[in-house]
Amino acid sequence: MSEWAISPGFILIGAAVAMMVLPRDDRWMALLGGPLAAFAYLWILWSGAEGEVITTSATYLGMELTPFRLDRLALIFSTVFCIAAFGGGLFALHQDNTKELIAAYAYAGAAIGAITAGDLLTLFVFWEVMAIASGLVIWLGGPKARTAGLRYAVVHFIGGVFLMGGAAAHVAETGSAAFVAMEATSPATWLIMTAFLINAAAWPISAWLPDAYPSASWSGMVFLSAFTTKTSVYALIRGFPGEECLLWAGTAMILYGIIYALRESDIRRILAYAIVNQVGFMVVAVGIGTPMALDGAAMQSFVHILYKALLIMTAGAVLTQTGTARLQDLGGLARAMPVTAACCVVGAATALALPVLTVGYASKSLITSAAGYKELLIPWLAINIGAVGTVLNAGLRYPWFTFFRAVPEPIAASDPPAPMRAAMVMLAVLCVGLGPTYGLFYGLAPNGTEYSPYKLASLVVQLQMLLAAGVIFFLARRYLEPSERGMVDVDWLWRRPGRVVVNALHRAWMATYAGMADRGLFGLRGLLAKLYRLHGPDSQLARTRPTGYMALWMTVLLGAFMFFSFV
């Protein structure tokens, strides 16, 4: 089906523009109305399409473009992006920094624009708007976020260069700019896939995420957790389903996220590493490439946005109400912040895929089963190890040490303001409410996979895994106690030795420049001295000459000119 339509992302971008002119007291209309209007427009379009693909075509520089494409895959990602934008806007209703909210809504709108892009050129444009807007969200987090924002911008600038170069080469090779499934068999497609993996925080370029996201404000990190990595997962599903290298990229992400999260003591950095870990599940699923696995990747992206935003909201609430995000400074907050603690428990239960009660089990079991059916031993083991790591980190370590650990002197705190509580409760209800209705949830899947996750064998395996992880946690609690210890990440290579190299090059350049300047000044002084000798007040050329003498020379020159003219 083809008709004229625009991306719902433009509605969110329009809401960002509206916030520029609305008084602060009326800002809530754009914050809440923008995502609701985008959600309604999206589903009105889809209901009118009756299940057919909606596309809008255009021609630019002789290329056939598809600026808008809405199918089942784009629908599920656009839907959860609208929900995330609404939840983030509600949570940030009392955010004083309007500039951050403007950037956040432009970011969300660009993400939906990228999801609904049907060609590589449109994708690239929205991809870069996402990078700029998300960089501003980080940058506006405060003075301490400036350097992290610069590092974030550099990484995503490189990713944008790869995407543009790969897209241009792909169009030159194939004559088509359509964003469809490709094979990584040429430099062009490898560049495109690399750009997608950079934004997905694939190892070894993963450190930008835990470096940048926790540097944002208490509200900014909620938006950041939802869009960039999930847009990359969508792009991989659309562009590179079944690429074997994605199996190993995702496996590395899973293991990386577990190891670093266990060594971290800042709750927001723990959740940032957990994002890398969970996105690794999705990348593995894309690498498997079967319809079940791709549905699992899409469903897990949907669920991950809900529960990760919820957990990050609870961390933001703790930060705003206590002034700290360090586990060693927290504990015993369940009584002081009961709503936040309850929402954290729901988010943690969804993250660890608790059967029946949460939707996390319905989505993650698709990926686990898909890996088992393909008999992929190492990815299957990585997925299960990653599930245990999720239980230990986001599922137990963060809630326990923050809300339930007994401390001698509990911190004086209270639940956050009503809009923040309402946003957390909304996402908690979705996490729990979608669980029992997994059939309707699977109905959104792009390939319509028919699967029953509540088989006895699957339930027993999942419950055994949860029980084992719980026993490990409580037996090894003293080894998981928060401390100041940390681990060197890959970004050390450019943040430490890289800085030494840059400083050495700077000193060498300054020394070279100083030598060149000295020699230049010496030569300039010599030139000025010669000019002074020739044209100074006592020089030969500056003396007063008799009129006859000058007339003689003019006659000589005129005669010479006439002679050479006639020769």
Side-chain angles (χ1 to χ4, degrees), residues 406-449:
V407 291
E409 297 182 8
I411 300 174
S414 62
D415 274 316
M420 297 172 71
R421 297 198 304 272
M424 291 189 291
V425 170
M426 181 195 80
L427 293 183
V429 169
L430 287 174
C431 287
V432 174
L434 290 174
T437 60
Y438 70 90
L440 295 174
F441 182 60
Y442 285 164
L444 289 174
N447 298 304
T449 297

Side-chain angles (χ1 to χ4, degrees), residues 12-22 102:
L12 287 174
I13 294 173
V17 174
M19 278 188 273
M20 296 181 185
V21 296
L22 285 172
I102 293 169

Side-chain angles (χ1 to χ4, degrees), residues 7 24 27 52-53 84 255 305 351 372 382 396 401 421 428 466 490 522 527 557 563:
S7 173
R24 191 181 185 283
R27 193 181 63 184
E52 296 184 28
V53 179
L255 300 178
I305 287 173
L396 291 174
F401 287 114
R421 297 198 304 272
L466 293 176
V490 177
F522 179 79
L527 177 62
L557 290 174
F563 173 77

Side-chain angles (χ1 to χ4, degrees), residues 168-217:
H170 183 70
V171 171
E173 289 175 3
T174 64
S176 172
F179 182 29
V180 294
M182 299 169 274
E183 294 183 1
T185 56
S186 68
T189 51
W190 271 104
L191 282 173
I192 294 172
M193 188 171 68
T194 301
F196 294 163
L197 288 173
I198 288 174
N199 270 30
W203 193 86
I205 313 296
S206 302
W208 65 260
L209 195 153
D211 174 40
Y213 283 12
S215 301
S217 71

Side-chain angles (χ1 to χ4, degrees), residues 213-372:
Y213 283 12
S215 301
S217 71
W218 54 270
S219 57
M221 189 175 176
V222 176
F223 290 98
L224 293 166
S225 70
F227 302 120
T228 297
T229 52
K230 309 315 174 300
T231 303
S232 300
V233 171
Y234 164 84
L236 289 170
I237 295 172
R238 176 77 72 186
F240 297 96
E243 282 293 337
E244 186 176 354
C245 65
L246 297 179
L247 292 171
W248 313 113
T251 299
M253 293 171 68
I254 291 171
L255 300 178
Y256 164 88
I258 294 171
I259 294 168
Y260 279 84
L262 286 171
R263 303 286 293 182
E264 188 54 60
S265 62
D266 183 289
I267 58 177
R268 300 210 302 165
R269 285 180 63 83
I270 290 172
L271 296 176
Y273 281 116
I275 291 175
V276 180
N277 166 256
Q278 293 296 301
V279 173
F281 282 84
M282 307 165 206
V283 174
V284 167
V286 179
I288 295 171
T290 62
M292 176 186 281
L294 297 178
D295 281 353
M299 294 295 100
Q300 183 64 15
S301 297
F302 189 104
V303 174
H304 183 260
I305 287 173
L306 298 182
Y307 76 72
K308 190 59 67 179
L310 175 57
L311 289 172
I312 289 172
M313 285 179 181
T314 62
V318 169
L319 177 62
T320 58
Q321 299 305 104
T322 66
T324 182
R326 295 172 5 128
L327 282 179
Q328 54 265 52
D329 299 331
L330 298 170
L333 290 176
R335 290 187 179 181
M337 305 176 69
V339 175
T340 306
C343 290
C344 180
V345 169
V346 172
T350 309
L352 54 85
L354 188 67
V356 181
L357 297 178
T358 69
V359 73
Y361 175 70
S363 62
K364 193 169 291 183
S365 59
L366 275 177
I367 300 176
T368 307
S369 297

